[in-house]
C-alpha cells in the first residue's frame, strides 16, 4: 500500500502470515500498525511524512524506516519478534523501542534524532548504532551493543548497563546539559575505540557521574568534565572511571585541568590491583582556578589602579615653576601596564588607561595652591585561559601644593576618594563562562616633599620623597557558578625615595624646554591583604622593593600654556611596570 499526500486515521492490521509493504510519501497516519505472529510489516515514511501511533510486532518481523520523517510513538517487539528500525536524513523518533519475550531488534540513526528509551527485557537482544552527528536522548538499559560514530551523541537520562560500547569520534553525555543536578552511572562490559565522555559532579557533596567498565577497555578517550564553582571534598570522591582490564587511555579534553571551586585538578590514573585502572582527579595536582584567580586579582588591583591615577606632582601638573606657581587648570591622559607575579598570590597583567582634570587657585599672595581634581580610569586584567576582569574607577579629591621660590623646597598633598566598579569574566575548563560584579569605595592620601636645586648652565637636580597610603573597602560577592568570595579591606602603604635631574633649555620666542630623567627606589610596606574563596584563605601580597626609572620633558609654550610628557619603567619582586605614559597640559591665568 502506498499513500501520497493524504491523511489516514485508524489502525493497520497485518495477520494470517501475510506481508504488508506500507509506504507514506508526504502523508500522515494517525493510528497503529499491528502485525501478528508469522506476519511481516515493512513501513517506510519519507519526504516529511508523519506517523502518530505505535508499530507493534507480536511474533512478527518488521522493518521501520524513517527518511526525513517523524514518528511519535513506540516500536514494540514481543513474543520472538524481529525489528529493524532505521532513521536517516534528519528523521525524528519521539518514543521507545521496547523488546520482550526473546525478541530481537536493531536501531540505526544516520543524521537523525531519537528521544526515548531502548528497553530490553531478559532474553531479548538489541543493538544500537549512531552515525553522522545523530543524537539519542534516553536509556539503553540492557542493550547488547552500542556503536557511536562520527560526532554522534548518546545522552543518558538514567543509570544504564550495556554489553559493549564501540566509539569512533562519538560522545556519551551523562546529561551535562539536560540534568545538571542528577548523576548517573554507566556500566559497560567492554569498551573500544575513541571518543568523549561528558561528565559532571557536585564535588561539594561528593556526587559525580561514573563510568564503570567491568571488562577490557582499549583505545583513547577524552573526559569533558563540567566545571563547578563549588569546592571538591576528598580524593575518594573524585574518581570518574574504572576499567577491569586493558590499556585504554583517558585524558581531559584540551588537556585543561578541571575547575572545581577555588582550585583546578589534573587527571591521574593508578592500577586498581585487579588488572585494570582507576582514573580520578588528583588533589595533589591542584592549582588556583581561573575563577579564584580573577577574584584575587580584582581585590589586588585597587592599589595599582589608585597609584596609576595619582602619580607625582611633576607627572600630574608639569613644571609649575615656569609661571611662578600661578592659578590655573590642567588635564592629563595616562596609560600604564603592570605584570603581577604569581608569588604575589596570583599572576596577571593589568593595562590601565584614563584621564584626570583639575583646577587650582593661589591662596592670596602666598606660595600655596589649593585645588580639586577628578577623573576616570579603566583597568583590564588578563589572566590565563581567556579569563579577564575589568575595574572602572571614578575619583575626585582636593590637593594642596607649596612652592618656595627662594629655597626650592616644595610640598604636594593629595586626598583622593574612589568608587571602583569591578567585573569578572571567567572562562572555565568546560568552555562555559561565569561572571560576577561588585562595587567598592576607597580613600587614600599622598604627601610628596622635595627640593629643586639649580646648577650651572640651566641644569638642576630635584631629590624628593613621597609617602602614599590607600584603604579600599572589603566586600563579599558571588560568581554566578556558585563561587563565593570574601575580601578584607585592601591596604597599601608605599614609600618612594628618588631624584630628578634635567636642564632648562631656552627656546626661540621665549619658551623653555625642560628634558629630565628620574630614578627612584620604591617600597610597599603592606604585606597581608586576606581574601577567602569558598572559605579557602589566600593572601594578596605586593610587599617588597622595586626600582623605578623615568624620562620626560616639560615645555613652556607661552606665558599661559605649558605641556609635559613622561615615560616610566619599574621592576621589583612582585610587580613589573613595563611602561607608563603620561601626557598633560596646563593653562594658567
Amino acid at each position: 500500500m502506498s499513500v501520497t499526500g493524504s491523511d489516514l486515521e485508524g489502525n493497520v492490521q497485518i495477520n494470517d502470515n501475510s506481508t504488508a509493504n506500507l509506504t507514506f510519501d508526504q502523508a500522515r497516519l494517525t493510528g497503529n500498525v499491528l502485525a501478528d505472529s508469522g506476519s511481516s510489516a515493512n513501513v517506510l515514511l519519507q519526504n516529511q511524512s508523519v506517523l502518530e501511533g505505535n508499530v507493534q510486532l507480536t511474533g512478527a518481523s518488521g522493518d521501520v524506516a524513517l527518511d526525513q520523517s517523524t514518528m511519535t510513538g513506540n516500536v514494540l517487539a514481543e513474543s520472538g519478534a524481529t525489528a529493524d528500525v532505521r532513521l536517516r536524513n534528519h528523521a525524528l523518533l519521539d518514543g521507545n523501542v521496547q523488546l520482550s519475550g526473546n525478541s530481537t531488534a536493531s536501531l540505526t540513526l544516520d543524521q537523525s534524532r531519537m528521544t526515548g528509551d531502548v528497553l530490553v527485557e531478559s532474553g531479548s537482544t538489541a543493538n544500537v548504532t549512531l552515525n553522522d552527528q545523530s543524537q539519542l536522548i534516553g536509556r539503553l538499559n540492557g542493550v547488547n551493543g552500542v556503536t557511536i560514530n562520527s560526532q554522534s551523541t548518546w545522552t543518558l537520562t538514567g543509570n544504564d548497563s550495556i554489553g559493549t560500547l564501540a566509539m569512533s569520534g562519538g560522545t556519551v553525555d551523562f546529561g551535562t546539559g539536560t540534568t545538571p543536578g542528577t548523576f548517573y552511572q554507566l556500566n559497560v562490559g567492554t569498551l573500544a575505540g575513541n571518543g568523549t565522555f561528558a561528565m559532571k559532579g557536585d564535588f561539594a557533596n561528593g556526587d559525580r557521574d561514573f563510568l564503570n567498565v567491568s571488562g577490557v577497555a582499549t583505545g583513547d578517550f577524552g573526559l569533558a568534565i563540567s566545571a563547578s564553582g563549588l569546592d571538591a571534598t576528598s580524593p575518594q570522591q573524585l574518581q570518574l572511571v574504572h576499567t577491569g582490564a586493558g590499556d585504554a587511555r583517558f585524558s581531559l579534553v584540551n588537556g585543561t585541568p578541571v575547575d572545581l571551586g577555588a582550585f583546578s585538578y589534573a587527571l591521574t590514573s593508578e592500577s586498581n590491583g585487579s588488572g585494570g585502572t582507576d582514573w580520578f582527579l588528583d588533589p595533589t595536582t591542584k592549582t588556583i582556578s581561573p575563577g579564584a584567580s580573577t577574584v584575587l586579582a580584582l581585590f589586588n588591583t585597587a592599589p595599582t589602579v589608585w597609584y596609576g591615577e595619582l602619580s607625582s606632582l611633576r607627572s600630574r601638573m608639569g613644571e609649575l615653576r615656569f609661571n611662578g606657581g600661578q592659578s590655573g587648570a590642567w588635564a592629563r591622559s595616562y596609560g600604564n601596564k603592570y605584570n603581577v607575579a604569581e608569588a604575589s598570590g596570583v599572576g596577571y597583567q593589568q593595562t590601565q588607561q584614563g584621564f584626570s582634570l583639575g583646577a587650582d587657585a593661589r591662596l592670596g599672595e602666598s606660595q600655596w595652591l589649593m585645588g580639586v581634581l577628578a577623573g576616570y580610569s579603566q583597568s583590564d586584567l588578563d589572566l590565563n585561559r581567556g579569563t579577564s576582569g575589568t575595574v572602572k574607577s571614578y575619583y575626585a579629591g582636593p590637593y594642596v601644593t607649596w612652592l618656595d621660590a627662594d629655597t626650592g623646597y616644595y610640598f604636594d598633598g593629595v586626598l583622593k576618594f574612589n568608587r571602583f566598579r569591578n567585573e569578572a569574566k571567567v572562562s572555565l575548563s568546560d568552555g562555559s563562562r561565569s561572571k560576577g560584579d561588585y562595587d567598592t569605595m576607597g580613600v587614600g592620601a599622598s604627601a610628596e616633599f622635595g627640593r629643586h636645586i639649580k646648577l650651572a648652565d640651566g641644569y638642576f637636580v630635584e631629590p624628593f620623597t613621597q609617602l602614599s597610603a590607600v584603604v579600599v573597602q572589603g566586600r563579599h560577592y558571588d560568581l554566578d557558578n556558585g563561587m563565593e568570595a570574601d575580601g578584607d579591606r585592601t591596604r597599601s602603604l608605599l614609600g618612594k625615595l628618588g631624584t630628578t635631574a634635567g636642564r632648562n633649555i631656552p627656546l626661540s620666542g621665549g619658551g623653555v624646554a625642560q628634558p629630565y630623567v628620574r630614578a627612584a627606589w620604591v617600597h610597599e610596606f603592606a604585606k597581608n591583604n586576606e581574601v577567602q574563596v569558598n572559605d579557602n584563605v589566600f593572601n594578596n601580597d605586593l610587599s617588597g622593593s622595586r626600582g623605578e626609572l623615568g624620562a620626560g620633558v616639560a615645555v613652556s609654550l607661552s606665558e599661559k600654556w605649558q605641556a609635559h610628557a613622561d615615560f616610566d619603567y619599574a621592576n621589583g619582586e612582585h610587580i613589573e611596570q613595563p611602561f607608563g605614559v603620561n601626557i598633560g597640559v596646563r593653562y594658567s591665568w
Side-chain angles (χ1 to χ4, degrees):
M1 181 178 71
S2 179
V3 180
T4 302
S6 299
D7 293 347
L8 298 181
E9 294 186 5
N11 296 334
V12 177
Q13 182 76 46
I14 306 166
N15 49 31
D16 297 331
N17 297 316
S18 59
T19 298
N21 296 313
L22 307 176
T23 300
F24 296 87
D25 193 332
Q26 293 184 319
R28 176 186 296 269
L29 171 62
T30 303
N32 302 316
V33 177
L34 308 173
D36 290 340
S37 178
S39 300
S40 178
N42 300 312
V43 181
L44 171 61
L45 283 78
Q46 61 187 13
N47 296 327
Q48 300 180 359
S49 294
V50 176
L51 170 58
E52 295 180 341
N54 300 328
V55 175
Q56 182 173 347
L57 308 173
T58 304
S61 62
D63 186 347
V64 180
L66 280 67
D67 189 340
Q68 286 186 309
S69 297
T70 301
M71 176 178 173
T72 303
N74 303 317
V75 177
L76 307 173
E78 306 168 344
S79 303
T82 301
D84 185 6
V85 182
R86 301 188 307 276
L87 284 70
R88 58 178 179 264
N89 295 330
H90 306 289
L92 301 175
L93 172 57
D94 188 0
N96 300 329
V97 176
Q98 188 167 338
L99 286 75
S100 61
N102 299 314
S103 297
T104 301
S106 64
L107 171 65
T108 303
L109 278 67
D110 290 287
Q111 277 190 311
S112 297
R113 178 185 178 94
M114 173 180 170
T115 302
D117 303 329
V118 179
L119 303 175
V120 184
E121 289 188 2
S122 178
S124 296
T125 302
N127 292 284
V128 175
T129 301
L130 307 180
N131 296 319
D132 298 329
Q133 302 179 14
S134 293
Q135 297 184 50
L136 191 155
I137 302 173
R139 300 190 61 197
L140 300 182
N141 200 46
V143 172
N144 294 71
V146 177
T147 301
I148 307 175
N149 299 324
S150 51
Q151 301 181 49
S152 296
T153 301
W154 168 30
T155 301
L156 278 68
T157 59
N159 297 326
D160 273 319
S161 295
I162 61 176
T164 63
L165 176 59
M167 303 177 69
S168 179
T171 298
V172 176
D173 188 334
F174 284 70
T176 55
T178 55
T179 54
T182 305
F183 307 98
Y184 304 125
Q185 177 168 325
L186 175 60
N187 298 311
V188 180
T190 60
L191 172 66
N194 63 86
T196 301
F197 294 90
M199 309 173 80
K200 60 192 181 303
D202 183 350
F203 293 99
N205 298 321
D207 296 325
R208 83 281 189 241
D209 296 321
F210 187 66
L211 172 63
N212 177 41
V213 183
S214 59
V216 176
T218 59
D220 293 282
F221 302 93
L223 300 180
I225 312 301
S226 295
S228 172
L230 305 177
D231 281 12
T233 51
S234 67
Q236 290 76 18
Q237 294 169 321
L238 298 178
Q239 184 180 350
L240 300 170
V241 178
H242 165 83
T243 63
D247 59 357
R249 293 172 296 275
F250 291 84
S251 60
L252 295 174
V253 172
N254 299 324
T256 303
V258 179
D259 302 330
L260 302 176
F263 300 100
S264 300
Y265 299 86
L267 186 70
T268 303
S269 65
E270 64 180 13
S271 174
N272 54 32
S274 61
T277 306
D278 293 331
W279 301 81
F280 56 93
L281 298 181
D282 186 356
T284 65
T285 65
K286 71 179 182 181
T287 56
I288 298 176
S289 69
S293 296
T294 306
V295 168
L296 295 174
L298 286 175
F299 281 121
N300 205 30
T301 301
T304 51
V305 170
W306 197 88
Y307 290 127
E309 295 167 347
L310 181 67
S311 194
S312 64
L313 171 64
R314 177 177 292 275
S315 297
R316 189 174 78 247
M317 295 195 295
E319 176 56 273
L320 291 178
R321 295 174 186 82
F322 282 155
N323 58 21
Q326 296 300 312
S327 304
W330 53 270
R332 63 181 282 255
S333 177
Y334 53 89
N336 300 290
K337 183 173 183 178
Y338 301 97
N339 296 327
V340 179
E342 295 280 355
S344 69
V346 59
Y348 60 90
Q349 294 181 333
Q350 173 188 343
T351 303
Q352 180 188 34
Q353 53 186 345
F355 66 90
S356 295
L357 304 173
D360 46 60
R362 192 168 183 174
L363 300 180
E365 297 300 320
S366 72
Q367 300 181 93
W368 290 88
L369 288 174
M370 181 168 288
V372 293
L373 61 83
Y376 166 83
S377 76
Q378 177 171 316
S379 293
D380 296 317
L381 308 184
D382 182 12
L383 295 96
N384 58 4
R385 287 165 46 184
T387 294
S388 63
T390 301
V391 180
K392 298 177 181 179
S393 172
Y394 307 84
Y395 58 91
Y399 64 88
V400 60
T401 303
W402 170 69
L403 298 172
D404 187 85
D406 296 329
T407 64
Y409 286 109
Y410 73 91
F411 170 81
D412 182 56
V414 179
L415 180 64
K416 189 159 69 74
F417 301 90
N418 284 69
R419 175 181 175 269
F420 300 103
R421 176 65 176 173
N422 304 273
E423 300 174 354
K425 296 179 181 178
V426 183
S427 295
L428 301 175
S429 56
D430 60 357
S432 63
R433 293 185 67 86
S434 180
K435 60 183 179 180
D437 57 73
Y438 63 99
D439 293 338
T440 52
M441 306 298 291
V443 60
S446 170
E448 179 184 347
F449 180 76
R451 186 183 184 187
H452 184 86
I453 303 172
K454 296 181 180 179
L455 304 175
D457 298 324
Y459 288 97
F460 69 90
V461 293
E462 193 172 275
F464 68 93
T465 184
Q466 185 179 27
L467 184 65
S468 304
V470 61
V471 177
V472 180
Q473 170 190 13
R475 188 64 186 267
H476 176 90
Y477 78 103
D478 301 331
L479 295 181
D480 60 9
N481 67 345
M483 178 179 289
E484 296 183 356
D486 194 356
D488 285 349
R489 288 188 182 94
T490 301
R491 301 172 178 86
S492 174
L493 180 61
L494 195 72
K496 182 182 294 189
L497 182 65
T499 188
T500 301
R503 185 185 184 189
N504 292 322
I505 302 174
L507 302 176
S508 59
V512 178
Q514 186 189 84
Y516 55 86
V517 294
R518 179 176 58 252
W521 173 81
V522 184
H523 187 79
E524 173 62 74
F525 294 93
K527 294 183 178 181
N528 186 23
N529 288 311
E530 189 174 282
V531 179
Q532 294 187 35
V533 182
N534 291 351
D535 296 326
N536 300 285
V537 178
F538 299 90
N539 179 30
N540 277 335
D541 185 3
L542 291 178
S543 64
S545 300
R546 60 182 182 267
E548 185 178 282
L549 299 174
V553 61
V555 180
S556 173
L557 302 173
S558 67
E559 183 179 350
K560 294 184 177 295
W561 285 98
Q562 64 168 280
H564 64 276
D566 297 273
F567 305 91
D568 295 298
Y569 170 81
N571 196 6
E573 180 181 358
H574 289 151
I575 187 170
E576 177 194 18
Q577 183 184 11
F579 68 83
V581 180
N582 175 76
I583 299 174
V585 295
R586 179 177 175 86
Y587 177 79
S588 301
W589 50 69

